[in-house]
């Protein structure tokens, strides 16, 4: 079992050999040292005398190779303690033949201190320790030290700059001492080997172990050390270990070569040597290669494996972790993945009940060990806020390189975090891919995405409003950037500034702006005028304020041939409406009017059989506030004002209601501003010659003078239902009354999956809509597509799912799969949205099976069963779900002329049939 003990710092050695992480590296090191000792024993080594024509010059340095933070220092410390016999580990058989000298760190050596002097002082210190060999004869080692000392003055960096001085001019001095001094200097390497040999005899050892840590990081001494190794540290009785990055060693060597070549060669040689011959750069690379091959032979290089590399060589069960403050070891991958998902609000359990390995752990495990261990320490903090902030600190350098201030990210508000994330994603080449908050192959992007996801998760934790807000202000706009002109970076930046025009954007405003941006999908001059576009556009339906009688009769009521004298009454309109497809008929409102004989004889004008959206809002009394919540006004490029109803605005309204402490006045939540035109570039502002709006009917009245329906008990009852739902929903939020229930929270990656499914289904729905679809029908389908996407993406449903484009049947099937599949769950956030009374006020209250393969009763029944089972498994009876929330409210509509003193009132179940008689926009080319 290999253990990462997070309670230890990187400089501590481990007493237990089974805990060592780099076991393969230790085994390789032991093999190399054992081979070197065996060669010494086989050859019965004695040091050269200096009289030989040639002698053995051994270059067997062992390179502990790895980048910064890869665990080289920790490995060296554990290796030296093992070779010294301090710990009971892998080197027991070697330690009795080795004397380990203290590790040399070049960064701690004084500039004027020569490395040879440092080494000699370490050996002398070992000899001076009487415990090493109290009875040994030290005369020969003292003699060898004296002989060696005579040549020290000739070494670069020791003694005078001119070793022989002016006395070299004296012939007598030359013959008596000068030549002897020169010989001592030339034979310094031999004398140094003899000194090592005699010192080891005193210590009764076979070899010294000499380790250099991070030679490559000291450019001043690093060059001297490498040259010292090449020229003097050639005794086979020296086990040399050096650590560092081979690339940095290459830079040290190249610097030396540049100095050797000189400025003249470096400046003029490339121009002298022709292109077809080897140039200076090739020569330098070859010299560098040969130098490093000599100093650190390839067979003596030991690479520090990353954690990911180790996991490829051993079973994941063989690597454990002891968390900070703990004593019990746990499986590393499982422990890290559990805490990763805890901080990211992800919950993913395998069929065996174990946490599956998180893909980000696989990515981070490929990084150097110092970074990984720092990340693991931060990950294990039980306080999620402090854990996330600690992770930002670990990755501070990566975040700053990405243009993100980690301190700002750690202490930013939820709005600031969303805006920081939005800006960073927009600046990237593939914002949609990165916006999924999955794990990209690029480690730098992966780390930044991980940190941004953690920052976002902070505001999502136990917060359904935070989840829905993030979905609307970040995920959906990013999902839109995968098609058409939205892939252009300047358009994406314009979208960002358009949606985030305020530091704390109003969600209803955001929903309206998303609908306005989506209307630029055609790419031609028609995009500049909402009147020439399709009504259904990415979750919104564009409505018209004025319309001609001919268009109303033909497009809304499908009157193919107007009788002579025209249609004057509601009953005549009902008579002349041809048999309709019940799925796409506006006759529901007309049939309701026909129930009253007096109303049936009233003139079939606006205000009775059809309404503009603004007119309808005024005629609904207090229920007009519901229409206000899901509608918005916008300007087109000509400055004309238009109104739209929107399923996304419905989602935004639910979010705002959830965020409120109490529900008193829905009018206070409604959007009051008008959405401006979106102009991402100069080329989109050229609108050309546009056709005028249709002329209004002569008997149309001003919307401002529409009669008002009186307040009714029906609205009070609806408001009470909404308040009960509000209390039911807040149980599943942080600080709610339930402590042992799954919170209505989602991870950033889950939200991105929801947004992409919503985006794809709404775009596909736009292509499905034909000219015979009415405003209410379109809105109904948009709402059920949003609900279906939310349910399917949060409930663990796998496989291909059909979207409810023309029928509610796919939505019913999804509900049945959720309640029957024990491996999946009805997510609290989906339960909250689907059970909202505001949703059911706009759905078709009476859809027939023949129309779409489903009925409203089927849908309501399946929702009721699913929500009841959800409450049994996860909820509480303190604020129970009430199936009455799924019933549409009864709305009183004031009809007739605006100047009527006592307007007639017609009661209607929900807004579905009412919106079907609100004129919408149609494309120029009918389908």
């Amino acid at each position: 079992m290999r253990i990462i003990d997070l309670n230890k710092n990187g400089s501590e050695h481990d007493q237990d050999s089974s805990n060592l992480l780099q076991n393969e590296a230790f085994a390789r090191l032991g093999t190399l040292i054992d081979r070197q000792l065996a060669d010494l024993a086989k050859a019965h080594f004695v040091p050269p005398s200096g009289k030989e024509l040639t002698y053995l010059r051994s270059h067997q340095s062992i390179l502990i190779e790895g980048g910064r933070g890869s665990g080289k220092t920790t490995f060296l410390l554990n290796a030296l303690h093992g070779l010294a016999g301090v710990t009971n580990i892998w080197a027991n058989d070697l330690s009795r033949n080795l004397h380990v000298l203290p590790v040399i760190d070049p960064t701690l050596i004084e500039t004027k201190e020569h490395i040879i002097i440092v080494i000699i002082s370490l050996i002398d210190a070992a000899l001076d320790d009487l415990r090493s060999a109290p009875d040994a004869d030290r005369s020969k080692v003292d003699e060898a030290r004296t002989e060696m000392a005579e040549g020290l003055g000739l070494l670069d960096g020791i003694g005078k700059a001119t070793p022989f001085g002016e006395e070299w001019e004296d012939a007598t001095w030359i013959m008596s001492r000068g030549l002897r001094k020169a010989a001592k200097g030339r034979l310094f390497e031999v004398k140094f080997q003899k000194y090592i040999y005699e010192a080891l005899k005193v210590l009764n050892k076979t070899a010294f172990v000499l380790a250099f840590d991070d030679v490559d990081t000291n450019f001043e001494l690093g060059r001297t050390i490498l040259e010292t190794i090449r020229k003097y540290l050639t005794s086979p009785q020296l086990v040399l270990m050096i650590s560092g990055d081979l690339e940095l060693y290459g830079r040290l060597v190249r610097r030396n070569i540049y100095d050797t070549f000189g400025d003249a060669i470096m400046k003029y040689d490339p121009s002298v040597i022709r292109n077809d011959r080897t140039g200076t750069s090739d020569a330098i690379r070859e010299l560098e290669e040969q130098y490093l091959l000599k100093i650190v032979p390839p067979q003596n290089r030991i690479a520090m494996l990353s954690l990911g590399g180790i996991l490829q060589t051993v079973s994941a069960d063989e690597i454990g972790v002891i968390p900070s403050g703990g004593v019990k070891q746990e499986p590393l991958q499982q422990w890290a993945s559990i805490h990763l998902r805890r901080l990211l609000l992800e919950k993913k359990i395998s069929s065996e009940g174990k946490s599956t390995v998180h893909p980000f752990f696989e990515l981070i495990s490929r990084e150097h060990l110092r970074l990984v261990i720092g990340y693991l320490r931060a990950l294990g903090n039980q306080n999620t806020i402090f854990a996330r902030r600690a992770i930002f600190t670990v990755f501070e350098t990566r975040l700053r390189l990405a243009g993100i201030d980690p301190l700002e990210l750690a202490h930013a508000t939820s709005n600031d975090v969303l805006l920081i994330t939005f800006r960073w994603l927009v600046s990237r080449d593939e914002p949609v891919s990165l916006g999924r908050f999955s794990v990209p192959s690029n480690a730098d992007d992966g780390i930044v995405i991980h940190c941004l996801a953690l920052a976002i998760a902070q505001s999502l934790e136990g917060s359904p409003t935070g989840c829905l807000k993030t979905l609307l202000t970040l995920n959906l706009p990013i999902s839109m950037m995968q098609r058409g002109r939205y892939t252009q970076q300047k358009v994406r930046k314009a979208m960002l500034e358009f949606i985030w025009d305020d530091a704390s954007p109003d969600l209803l405003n955001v929903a309206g702006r998303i609908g306005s941006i989506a209307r630029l999908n055609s790419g031609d001059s028609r995009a500049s005028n909402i009147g020439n576009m399709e009504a259904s556009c990415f979750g919104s339906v564009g409505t018209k304020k004025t319309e001609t009688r001919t268009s109303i009769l033909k497009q809304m009521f499908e009157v193919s041939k107007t009788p002579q004298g025209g249609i004057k009454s509601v009953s005549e309109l009902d008579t002349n409406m041809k048999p309709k497809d019940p799925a796409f008929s506006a006759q529901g409102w007309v049939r309701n009017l026909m129930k009253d004989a007096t109303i049936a004889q009233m003139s079939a004008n606006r205000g009775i059989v059809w309404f503009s959206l603004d007119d309808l809002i005024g005629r609904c009394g207090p229920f007009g506030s519901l229409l206000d919540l899901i509608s918005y006004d916008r300007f087109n490029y000509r400055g004309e004002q238009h109104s739209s109803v929107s399923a996304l605005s419905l989602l935004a309204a639910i979010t705002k209601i959830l965020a409120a402490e109490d529900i008193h006045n829905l009018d206070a939540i409604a959007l009051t501003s008008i959405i401006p035109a979106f102009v991402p570039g100069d080329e989109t502002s050229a609108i050309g010659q546009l056709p005028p709006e249709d002329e209004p009917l002569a008997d149309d009245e001003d919307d401002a003078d529409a009669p008002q329906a009186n307040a009714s008990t029906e609205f009070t009852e609806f408001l009470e239902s909404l308040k009960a739902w509000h209390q039911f929903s807040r149980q599943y939020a942080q600080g709610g009354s339930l402590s042992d229930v799954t919170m209505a929270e989602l991870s950033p990656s889950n939200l991105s999956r929801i947004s992409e499914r919503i985006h794809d289904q709404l775009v596909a729905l736009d292509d499905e809509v034909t000219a015979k679809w009415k405003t209410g029908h379109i809105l109904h389908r948009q709402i059920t597509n949003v609900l279906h996407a939310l349910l399917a993406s949060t409930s663990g449903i796998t496989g291909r799912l059909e979207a409810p484009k023309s029928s509610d049947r796919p939505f019913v099937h999804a509900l049945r799969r959720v309640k029957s599949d024990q491996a999946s769950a009805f997510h609290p956030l989906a339960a909250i949205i689907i059970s909202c009374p505001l949703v059911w006020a706009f759905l078709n209250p009476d859809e027939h099976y023949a129309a779409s393969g489903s009925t409203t009763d089927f849908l309501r029944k399946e929702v009721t069963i699913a929500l009841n089972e959800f409450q049994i498994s996860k909820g509480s009876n303190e604020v129970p779900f009430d199936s009455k929330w799924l019933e549409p409210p009864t709305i009183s509509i004031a009809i007739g002329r605006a100047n009527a003193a006592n307007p007639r009132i017609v009661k209607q179940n929900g807004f579905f049939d009412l919106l079907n008689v609100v004129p919408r926009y149609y494309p120029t080319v009918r389908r």
Side-chain angles (χ1 to χ4, degrees):
M1 190 74 175
R2 310 186 191 199
I3 304 297
I4 296 178
D5 191 346
L6 300 180
N7 297 288
K8 294 183 178 181
N9 60 49
S11 61
E12 296 180 15
H13 64 274
D14 205 308
Q15 300 290 336
D16 188 352
S17 61
S18 64
N19 291 353
L20 297 176
L21 200 59
Q22 301 280 359
N23 273 354
E24 289 81 9
F26 282 111
R28 175 66 176 157
L29 177 63
T31 300
L32 292 175
I33 296 175
D34 184 64
R35 185 182 303 162
Q36 185 172 342
L37 294 178
D39 290 342
L40 282 171
K42 183 178 180 180
H44 303 289
F45 174 77
V46 292
S49 64
K51 299 178 181 180
E52 301 91 347
L53 291 176
T54 183
Y55 55 87
L56 178 63
R57 303 184 77 253
S58 175
H59 290 100
Q60 301 184 66
S61 302
I62 300 171
L63 175 64
I64 311 304
E65 182 183 2
R68 301 299 299 165
S70 59
K72 302 184 299 297
T73 299
T74 302
F75 178 86
L76 269 181
L77 291 174
N78 280 293
L80 293 178
H81 282 90
L83 294 171
V86 175
T87 55
N88 181 27
I89 60 169
W90 52 277
N92 272 343
D93 294 337
L94 299 174
S95 60
R96 59 174 172 265
N97 295 316
L98 299 171
H99 183 90
V100 179
L101 298 173
V103 64
I104 297 176
D105 187 343
T107 62
L108 303 180
I109 297 176
E110 297 297 333
T111 305
K112 296 182 180 180
E113 195 173 9
H114 196 282
I115 193 66
I116 283 292
I117 301 298
V118 174
I119 296 171
I120 293 173
S121 67
L122 294 178
I123 297 175
D124 281 349
L127 294 171
D128 291 341
D129 186 356
L130 295 179
R131 293 174 300 176
S132 301
D135 301 326
D137 182 7
R138 286 175 164 76
S139 59
K140 289 188 177 181
V141 72
D142 291 339
E143 180 183 343
R145 182 193 296 111
T146 302
E147 292 180 4
M148 175 186 63
E150 294 184 16
L152 279 175
L154 292 179
L155 271 63
D156 290 338
I158 302 178
K160 297 179 180 179
T162 55
F164 300 108
E166 296 180 358
E167 62 269 21
W168 192 254
E169 303 296 331
D170 187 341
T172 303
W173 185 89
I174 293 174
M175 296 306 296
S176 63
R177 297 184 60 191
L179 291 178
R180 187 162 60 91
K181 183 177 181 180
K184 294 290 185 181
R186 180 178 61 83
L187 295 176
F188 174 79
E189 179 188 8
V190 173
K191 301 301 182 183
F192 186 52
Q193 286 199 26
K194 183 179 179 181
Y195 171 66
I196 291 173
Y197 176 79
E198 296 297 342
L200 288 169
K201 286 177 63 177
V202 171
L203 298 172
N204 194 27
K205 298 290 183 179
T206 304
F208 284 114
V209 177
L210 181 60
F212 297 93
D213 188 23
D214 286 337
V215 176
D216 53 347
T217 60
N218 191 321
F219 269 60
E220 294 299 324
L221 284 176
R223 173 180 175 181
T224 302
I225 291 174
L226 290 181
E227 278 296 279
T228 300
I229 292 173
R230 184 181 69 86
K231 293 191 291 186
Y232 306 124
L233 305 183
T234 57
S235 171
Q237 291 185 295
L238 278 178
V239 176
L240 284 178
M241 298 166 59
I242 61 177
S243 68
D245 187 341
L246 201 59
E247 169 59 28
L248 292 181
Y249 279 118
R251 294 182 185 180
L252 283 173
V253 174
R254 288 197 299 273
R255 178 181 176 183
N256 190 20
I257 296 171
Y258 297 151
D259 292 342
T260 303
F261 275 17
D263 294 339
I265 293 293
M266 297 299 297
K267 181 177 181 180
Y268 297 109
D269 205 58
S271 61
V272 174
I273 299 178
R274 298 193 304 271
N275 293 333
D276 59 341
R277 297 178 180 272
T278 302
T280 303
S281 60
D282 295 324
I284 290 173
R285 282 196 295 269
E286 184 177 351
L287 288 171
E288 174 194 339
E289 180 183 45
Q290 294 303 317
Y291 190 96
L292 292 176
L293 285 174
K294 175 180 286 188
I295 297 297
V296 282
Q299 67 273 16
N300 283 14
R301 298 174 186 176
I302 301 175
M304 292 290 94
L305 293 178
S306 65
L307 181 59
I310 297 172
L311 286 168
Q312 292 178 3
T313 61
V314 299
S315 170
D317 295 334
E318 292 297 315
I319 301 182
V321 61
I322 300 177
S324 299
V327 293
K328 181 182 178 181
Q329 68 184 41
E330 301 183 41
L332 174 61
Q333 284 188 329
Q334 182 176 344
W335 177 86
S337 297
I338 289 173
H339 285 284
L340 253 169
R341 293 194 166 93
R342 172 177 66 94
L343 296 180
L344 289 171
L345 311 181
E346 296 177 356
K347 300 173 181 65
K348 187 172 183 180
I349 306 297
S350 67
S351 57
E352 291 80 15
K354 295 182 179 180
S355 175
T356 56
V357 179
H358 196 282
F360 183 77
F361 178 76
E362 296 180 349
L363 176 72
I364 196 64
S365 66
R366 299 199 293 265
E367 295 290 319
H368 56 78
L369 280 174
R370 183 182 300 168
L371 187 72
V372 173
I373 291 174
Y375 176 73
L376 293 176
R377 286 197 178 104
L379 199 64
N381 196 316
Q382 293 302 312
N383 186 303
T384 57
I385 296 177
F386 293 156
R388 292 177 179 120
R389 290 177 179 176
I391 290 174
F392 300 155
T393 303
V394 171
F395 296 131
E396 180 174 1
T397 302
R398 304 287 180 93
L399 289 172
R400 291 192 183 279
L401 288 174
I404 298 173
D405 185 344
L407 187 61
E408 180 184 1
L409 192 64
H411 300 281
T413 65
S414 60
N415 282 329
D416 292 336
V417 169
L418 292 175
L419 188 53
I420 290 170
T421 305
F422 205 155
R423 289 192 187 281
W424 188 83
L425 289 173
V426 165
S427 68
R428 309 299 293 175
D429 291 334
E430 296 184 0
V432 178
S433 176
L434 294 175
R436 296 187 179 105
F437 295 101
S438 54
V439 182
S441 58
N442 182 287
D444 290 333
D445 283 348
I447 288 173
V448 175
I449 282 294
H450 181 61
C451 291
L452 292 175
L454 288 172
I456 293 172
Q458 186 65 48
S459 61
L460 305 180
E461 192 168 4
S463 175
T465 57
C467 294
L468 296 174
K469 176 183 177 181
T470 302
L471 180 67
L472 287 167
T473 58
L474 175 66
N475 301 110
L476 274 175
I478 291 296
S479 296
M480 290 170 61
M481 294 179 182
Q482 61 184 292
R483 61 189 179 104
R485 64 195 309 177
Y486 308 141
T487 59
Q488 302 173 19
Q489 191 172 79
K490 64 178 181 180
V491 176
R492 297 201 305 259
K493 289 181 178 179
M495 289 171 62
L496 165 65
E497 300 301 329
F498 182 65
I499 291 174
W500 282 85
D501 68 324
D502 192 345
S504 300
D506 181 86
L507 292 185
L508 288 173
N509 188 293
V510 168
R513 288 171 182 256
I514 289 175
S516 299
I517 291 174
R519 294 185 181 281
L520 292 177
N521 60 352
S522 63
D524 56 23
S525 61
R526 295 192 305 122
S528 301
N529 180 26
I530 191 174
N532 288 323
M533 293 201 60
E534 313 227 357
S536 177
C537 192
F538 198 61
S540 64
V541 187
T543 67
K544 300 189 74 172
K545 184 176 181 180
T546 59
E547 185 61 282
T548 63
R549 183 189 298 274
T550 302
S551 297
I552 287 290
L553 295 177
K554 180 179 179 182
Q555 295 175 345
M556 185 179 295
F557 298 106
E558 291 91 18
V559 176
S560 57
K561 184 178 180 181
T562 305
Q564 188 174 5
I567 295 177
K568 297 179 180 180
S569 65
V570 176
S571 61
E572 289 183 13
L573 176 62
D574 181 58
T575 301
N576 285 276
M577 291 172 66
K578 64 181 181 180
K580 311 299 184 301
D581 180 350
F584 307 106
S585 174
Q587 67 182 353
W589 173 246
V590 176
R591 292 294 170 86
N592 194 22
L593 294 176
M594 289 293 294
K595 295 177 182 178
D596 188 314
T598 303
I599 295 177
Q601 299 306 313
M602 293 179 66
S603 176
N605 289 330
R606 192 183 101 173
I608 297 179
V609 295
W610 73 87
F611 314 93
S612 68
L613 184 60
D614 293 339
D615 186 21
L616 182 60
I617 291 174
R619 293 175 180 272
C620 291
F623 278 101
S625 61
L626 304 190
L627 281 175
D628 267 334
L629 289 178
I630 73 156
S631 63
Y632 60 89
D633 289 342
R634 65 176 296 266
F635 289 117
N636 69 3
Y637 290 89
R638 295 187 298 180
E640 298 163 333
Q641 185 174 336
H642 303 278
S643 298
S644 296
V645 289
S646 168
L648 297 183
S649 293
L650 175 63
L651 194 62
I654 293 173
T655 307
K656 295 188 70 172
I657 293 173
L658 277 173
E661 289 296 327
D662 199 359
I663 304 173
H664 292 291
N665 185 8
L666 296 180
D667 288 329
I669 302 176
L671 182 66
T672 57
S673 60
I674 301 175
I675 308 299
F678 174 63
V679 186
D682 292 336
E683 73 281 358
T684 62
S685 61
I687 59 176
Q689 185 65 35
L690 297 171
E693 283 286 327
D694 293 323
E695 293 297 328
L697 293 172
D699 55 0
D700 278 345
E701 302 291 343
D702 188 2
D703 293 341
D705 297 329
Q708 300 291 318
N710 294 327
S712 61
T713 56
E714 288 88 351
F715 183 76
T716 302
E717 292 175 357
F718 176 82
L719 201 58
E720 289 302 317
S721 295
L722 198 60
K723 290 179 180 179
W725 165 84
H726 186 257
Q727 293 302 314
F728 164 81
S729 303
R730 289 170 70 88
Q731 293 177 114
Y732 304 97
Q734 195 73 37
S737 59
L738 301 180
S739 59
D740 57 347
V741 71
T742 301
M743 292 292 110
E745 60 189 22
L746 291 167
S747 69
S749 58
N750 282 339
L751 285 175
S752 67
R753 285 194 290 270
I754 294 171
S755 72
E756 288 204 27
R757 186 180 283 271
I758 289 176
H759 172 272
D760 293 345
Q761 291 189 185
L762 290 180
V763 171
L765 179 64
D766 291 342
D767 294 332
E768 188 78 9
V769 174
T770 62
K772 64 181 181 179
W773 285 39
K774 307 300 184 290
T775 302
H777 289 109
I778 297 173
L779 182 64
H780 173 97
R781 291 286 165 240
Q782 290 172 344
I783 293 173
T784 53
N785 271 271
V786 171
L787 298 180
H788 177 268
L790 182 63
L791 177 67
S793 299
T794 59
S795 301
I797 298 177
T798 58
R800 186 178 180 87
L801 288 177
E802 182 184 359
K805 292 188 291 185
S806 58
S807 168
D808 289 335
R809 180 183 288 184
F811 188 29
V812 171
H813 290 171
L815 286 165
R816 289 174 177 172
R817 288 184 62 177
V818 168
K819 69 179 183 181
S820 63
D821 189 353
Q822 298 301 316
S824 62
F826 201 152
H827 195 278
L829 187 63
I832 289 172
I833 302 300
I834 292 174
S835 65
C836 182
L838 196 60
V839 168
W840 295 87
F842 295 96
L843 295 184
N844 186 352
D846 193 26
E847 186 168 12
H848 297 286
Y849 185 86
S852 66
S854 179
T855 69
T856 304
D857 289 339
F858 282 169
L859 177 59
R860 192 178 291 110
K861 177 183 177 181
E862 293 299 331
V863 170
T864 301
I865 294 173
L867 285 171
N868 282 329
E869 291 188 0
F870 160 79
Q871 183 152 317
I872 291 172
S873 62
K874 296 184 177 180
S876 165
N877 290 325
E878 182 177 345
V879 185
F881 160 72
D882 190 343
S883 60
K884 291 182 179 179
W885 301 343
L886 311 184
E887 299 289 340
T890 301
I891 306 170
S892 297
I893 312 298
I895 64 170
R897 291 185 176 273
N899 56 4
N902 295 304
R904 295 183 180 276
I905 301 298
V906 177
K907 293 186 179 295
Q908 177 68 38
N909 290 330
F911 286 102
F912 179 79
D913 286 325
L914 287 169
L915 287 174
N916 277 340
V917 292
V918 172
R920 68 171 180 85
Y921 286 99
Y922 293 89
T924 302
V925 179
R926 310 294 186 208
R927 287 192 292 169

